Amino acid sequence: MKLNIETSRRIELIDITSEVEEEVRISGTQEGVCIISTRHTTAGIIINENESGLREDILNLLDRLVPPGAGYRHDRIDNNADAHLKAVLLGASETLPVTQGKLELGTWQSIFFAEMDGPRHRTINMTILKIE
Ligand code: ZN
């Protein structure tokens, strides 16, 4: 299954929890595993709390750790090395259990697509493995 999204900023976190939950529901899976992944090299998939201050804190942390244009070799090719490096820190997938038909997420957990080089068209892949 694929989820297509349009991002609107250079870096941003987009909550995709309800879309992933809907795919799990449609699949009819009671017990299994849901893998959420992206094939992009300048974006990531993460799980954390969807609180506006925290979302800003996460993006600020990434900019502090990997500031744009800090003399990276890849910037000689297409000027987006910081986006690749941020994506390395985030990882390109998350895996969650599906239990009794629902994604096993904590009360404060949300799934985010993490855009590091937008705005762009982006694709998220969802693979659901049934254990039944
Ligand atoms: Zn690049």
Short mmCIF file of all heavy atoms in Angstrom, two decimals, residues 80-112:
data_model
loop_
_atom_site.label_atom_id
_atom_site.label_comp_id
_atom_site.label_asym_id
_atom_site.label_seq_id
_atom_site.Cartn_x
_atom_site.Cartn_y
_atom_site.Cartn_z
N ASN A 80 22.14 19.63 -0.83
CA ASN A 80 21.16 19.24 0.19
C ASN A 80 21.74 18.20 1.16
O ASN A 80 21.01 17.36 1.69
CB ASN A 80 19.87 18.73 -0.45
CG ASN A 80 20.07 17.40 -1.17
OD1 ASN A 80 21.18 16.94 -1.36
ND2 ASN A 80 18.97 16.79 -1.57
N ALA A 81 23.04 18.28 1.39
CA ALA A 81 23.70 17.29 2.26
C ALA A 81 23.05 17.25 3.64
O ALA A 81 22.88 16.17 4.21
CB ALA A 81 25.18 17.61 2.39
N ASP A 82 22.70 18.41 4.18
CA ASP A 82 22.11 18.41 5.53
C ASP A 82 20.84 17.57 5.57
O ASP A 82 20.57 16.88 6.57
CB ASP A 82 21.83 19.84 6.02
CG ASP A 82 20.73 20.52 5.24
OD1 ASP A 82 20.87 20.68 4.01
OD2 ASP A 82 19.70 20.87 5.86
N ALA A 83 20.06 17.59 4.49
CA ALA A 83 18.82 16.80 4.46
C ALA A 83 19.11 15.31 4.50
O ALA A 83 18.45 14.54 5.22
CB ALA A 83 18.01 17.15 3.21
N HIS A 84 20.13 14.85 3.75
CA HIS A 84 20.51 13.44 3.78
C HIS A 84 21.00 13.06 5.18
O HIS A 84 20.66 11.99 5.70
CB HIS A 84 21.63 13.15 2.78
CG HIS A 84 21.24 13.26 1.35
ND1 HIS A 84 20.62 12.24 0.66
CD2 HIS A 84 21.39 14.27 0.45
CE1 HIS A 84 20.43 12.61 -0.60
NE2 HIS A 84 20.88 13.84 -0.75
N LEU A 85 21.83 13.92 5.78
CA LEU A 85 22.41 13.60 7.09
C LEU A 85 21.34 13.56 8.17
O LEU A 85 21.36 12.69 9.05
CB LEU A 85 23.51 14.61 7.43
CG LEU A 85 24.72 14.57 6.48
CD1 LEU A 85 25.65 15.74 6.74
CD2 LEU A 85 25.46 13.26 6.61
N LYS A 86 20.38 14.47 8.11
CA LYS A 86 19.26 14.43 9.05
C LYS A 86 18.46 13.15 8.88
O LYS A 86 18.04 12.51 9.86
CB LYS A 86 18.36 15.65 8.85
CG LYS A 86 18.97 16.95 9.38
CD LYS A 86 18.23 18.17 8.87
CE LYS A 86 18.88 19.44 9.43
NZ LYS A 86 18.64 20.61 8.56
N ALA A 87 18.25 12.74 7.63
CA ALA A 87 17.50 11.51 7.35
C ALA A 87 18.23 10.29 7.92
O ALA A 87 17.59 9.35 8.40
CB ALA A 87 17.27 11.35 5.85
N VAL A 88 19.56 10.31 7.87
CA VAL A 88 20.35 9.21 8.45
C VAL A 88 20.07 9.09 9.95
O VAL A 88 19.91 7.99 10.48
CB VAL A 88 21.87 9.44 8.20
CG1 VAL A 88 22.71 8.54 9.09
CG2 VAL A 88 22.21 9.21 6.74
N LEU A 89 19.96 10.22 10.62
CA LEU A 89 19.70 10.20 12.06
C LEU A 89 18.30 9.67 12.37
O LEU A 89 18.09 9.06 13.42
CB LEU A 89 19.85 11.62 12.65
CG LEU A 89 21.24 12.25 12.56
CD1 LEU A 89 21.22 13.66 13.14
CD2 LEU A 89 22.27 11.40 13.30
N LEU A 90 17.35 9.93 11.47
CA LEU A 90 15.96 9.56 11.75
C LEU A 90 15.63 8.11 11.38
O LEU A 90 14.81 7.48 12.05
CB LEU A 90 15.02 10.49 10.96
CG LEU A 90 15.13 11.97 11.30
CD1 LEU A 90 14.28 12.79 10.34
CD2 LEU A 90 14.72 12.23 12.75
N GLY A 91 16.22 7.61 10.32
CA GLY A 91 15.87 6.28 9.83
C GLY A 91 14.70 6.33 8.86
O GLY A 91 13.87 7.24 8.92
N ALA A 92 14.62 5.34 7.98
CA ALA A 92 13.66 5.35 6.88
C ALA A 92 12.42 4.50 7.14
O ALA A 92 11.55 4.41 6.27
CB ALA A 92 14.34 4.90 5.59
N SER A 93 12.33 3.88 8.31
CA SER A 93 11.14 3.05 8.56
C SER A 93 10.86 2.90 10.05
O SER A 93 11.73 3.17 10.89
CB SER A 93 11.33 1.66 7.94
OG SER A 93 12.30 0.93 8.64
N GLU A 94 9.65 2.47 10.33
CA GLU A 94 9.25 2.08 11.68
C GLU A 94 8.40 0.82 11.54
O GLU A 94 7.71 0.64 10.54
CB GLU A 94 8.41 3.17 12.37
CG GLU A 94 9.20 4.40 12.80
CD GLU A 94 10.06 4.20 14.04
OE1 GLU A 94 9.99 3.11 14.66
OE2 GLU A 94 10.80 5.13 14.40
N THR A 95 8.46 -0.02 12.54
CA THR A 95 7.69 -1.27 12.55
C THR A 95 6.86 -1.31 13.82
O THR A 95 7.38 -1.06 14.91
CB THR A 95 8.64 -2.49 12.51
OG1 THR A 95 9.47 -2.37 11.36
CG2 THR A 95 7.85 -3.78 12.45
N LEU A 96 5.58 -1.58 13.68
CA LEU A 96 4.68 -1.61 14.83
C LEU A 96 3.87 -2.91 14.85
O LEU A 96 3.43 -3.38 13.79
CB LEU A 96 3.69 -0.44 14.76
CG LEU A 96 4.25 0.95 15.08
CD1 LEU A 96 3.24 2.01 14.69
CD2 LEU A 96 4.59 1.06 16.57
N PRO A 97 3.63 -3.45 16.03
CA PRO A 97 2.73 -4.60 16.12
C PRO A 97 1.28 -4.18 15.86
O PRO A 97 0.91 -3.04 16.15
CB PRO A 97 2.87 -5.06 17.58
CG PRO A 97 4.02 -4.30 18.15
CD PRO A 97 4.18 -3.07 17.34
N VAL A 98 0.51 -5.10 15.30
CA VAL A 98 -0.95 -4.92 15.21
C VAL A 98 -1.55 -5.97 16.15
O VAL A 98 -1.27 -7.16 16.03
CB VAL A 98 -1.46 -5.14 13.77
CG1 VAL A 98 -2.98 -5.03 13.72
CG2 VAL A 98 -0.80 -4.16 12.82
N THR A 99 -2.34 -5.49 17.12
CA THR A 99 -2.92 -6.37 18.12
C THR A 99 -4.42 -6.12 18.19
O THR A 99 -4.85 -4.97 18.30
CB THR A 99 -2.29 -6.08 19.51
OG1 THR A 99 -0.86 -6.13 19.38
CG2 THR A 99 -2.72 -7.11 20.53
N GLN A 100 -5.18 -7.19 18.11
CA GLN A 100 -6.65 -7.09 18.14
C GLN A 100 -7.15 -6.03 17.16
O GLN A 100 -8.01 -5.20 17.48
CB GLN A 100 -7.13 -6.80 19.57
CG GLN A 100 -6.79 -7.97 20.50
CD GLN A 100 -7.26 -7.76 21.94
OE1 GLN A 100 -7.46 -6.63 22.37
NE2 GLN A 100 -7.41 -8.85 22.67
N GLY A 101 -6.58 -6.05 15.97
CA GLY A 101 -7.04 -5.18 14.90
C GLY A 101 -6.56 -3.74 14.96
O GLY A 101 -6.91 -2.93 14.10
N LYS A 102 -5.72 -3.43 15.96
CA LYS A 102 -5.28 -2.03 16.11
C LYS A 102 -3.76 -1.95 16.16
O LYS A 102 -3.08 -2.85 16.67
CB LYS A 102 -5.83 -1.47 17.44
CG LYS A 102 -7.35 -1.42 17.48
CD LYS A 102 -7.81 0.01 17.71
CE LYS A 102 -9.21 0.23 17.21
NZ LYS A 102 -10.24 0.09 18.23
N LEU A 103 -3.25 -0.80 15.67
CA LEU A 103 -1.82 -0.53 15.78
C LEU A 103 -1.46 -0.40 17.25
O LEU A 103 -2.17 0.27 18.02
CB LEU A 103 -1.49 0.81 15.11
CG LEU A 103 -1.14 0.84 13.64
CD1 LEU A 103 -0.86 2.28 13.25
CD2 LEU A 103 0.02 -0.06 13.31
N GLU A 104 -0.36 -1.01 17.65
CA GLU A 104 0.08 -0.97 19.05
C GLU A 104 0.85 0.33 19.29
O GLU A 104 2.07 0.35 19.28
CB GLU A 104 0.94 -2.20 19.32
CG GLU A 104 1.18 -2.53 20.77
CD GLU A 104 -0.07 -2.98 21.49
OE1 GLU A 104 -0.55 -4.10 21.27
OE2 GLU A 104 -0.57 -2.18 22.31
N LEU A 105 0.11 1.41 19.51
CA LEU A 105 0.71 2.73 19.75
C LEU A 105 0.35 3.18 21.16
O LEU A 105 -0.78 2.99 21.60
CB LEU A 105 0.16 3.77 18.77
CG LEU A 105 0.76 3.86 17.37
CD1 LEU A 105 -0.08 4.81 16.52
CD2 LEU A 105 2.22 4.31 17.42
N GLY A 106 1.29 3.81 21.85
CA GLY A 106 1.01 4.38 23.17
C GLY A 106 0.12 5.60 23.05
O GLY A 106 -0.02 6.18 21.97
N THR A 107 -0.50 5.98 24.15
CA THR A 107 -1.42 7.11 24.17
C THR A 107 -0.83 8.36 23.54
O THR A 107 -1.51 9.11 22.85
CB THR A 107 -1.79 7.45 25.64
OG1 THR A 107 -2.25 6.26 26.25
CG2 THR A 107 -2.86 8.53 25.70
N TRP A 108 0.47 8.59 23.76
CA TRP A 108 1.10 9.82 23.27
C TRP A 108 1.93 9.61 22.02
O TRP A 108 2.65 10.51 21.60
CB TRP A 108 1.95 10.46 24.39
CG TRP A 108 1.14 10.70 25.61
CD1 TRP A 108 1.20 10.01 26.79
CD2 TRP A 108 0.09 11.66 25.76
NE1 TRP A 108 0.26 10.49 27.66
CE2 TRP A 108 -0.44 11.49 27.06
CE3 TRP A 108 -0.46 12.63 24.91
CZ2 TRP A 108 -1.48 12.28 27.54
CZ3 TRP A 108 -1.51 13.41 25.39
CH2 TRP A 108 -2.01 13.22 26.68
N GLN A 109 1.82 8.44 21.45
CA GLN A 109 2.62 8.18 20.26
C GLN A 109 1.86 8.46 18.97
O GLN A 109 0.70 8.05 18.82
CB GLN A 109 3.08 6.71 20.24
CG GLN A 109 4.19 6.41 21.23
CD GLN A 109 4.69 4.99 21.09
OE1 GLN A 109 3.90 4.04 21.04
NE2 GLN A 109 6.00 4.83 21.02
N SER A 110 2.55 9.14 18.05
CA SER A 110 2.04 9.36 16.70
C SER A 110 3.13 8.97 15.72
O SER A 110 4.32 8.97 16.06
CB SER A 110 1.68 10.83 16.48
OG SER A 110 0.54 11.18 17.24
N ILE A 111 2.72 8.64 14.50
CA ILE A 111 3.68 8.30 13.44
C ILE A 111 3.83 9.54 12.55
O ILE A 111 2.84 10.12 12.12
CB ILE A 111 3.16 7.12 12.59
CG1 ILE A 111 2.78 5.94 13.49
CG2 ILE A 111 4.20 6.70 11.54
CD1 ILE A 111 1.86 4.93 12.79
N PHE A 112 5.08 9.90 12.30
CA PHE A 112 5.35 11.08 11.47
C PHE A 112 6.16 10.73 10.23
O PHE A 112 7.12 9.95 10.32
CB PHE A 112 6.18 12.11 12.24
CG PHE A 112 5.48 12.76 13.39
CD1 PHE A 112 5.70 12.31 14.68
CD2 PHE A 112 4.62 13.82 13.19
CE1 PHE A 112 5.08 12.91 15.76
CE2 PHE A 112 3.98 14.43 14.26
CZ PHE A 112 4.21 13.98 15.55
#
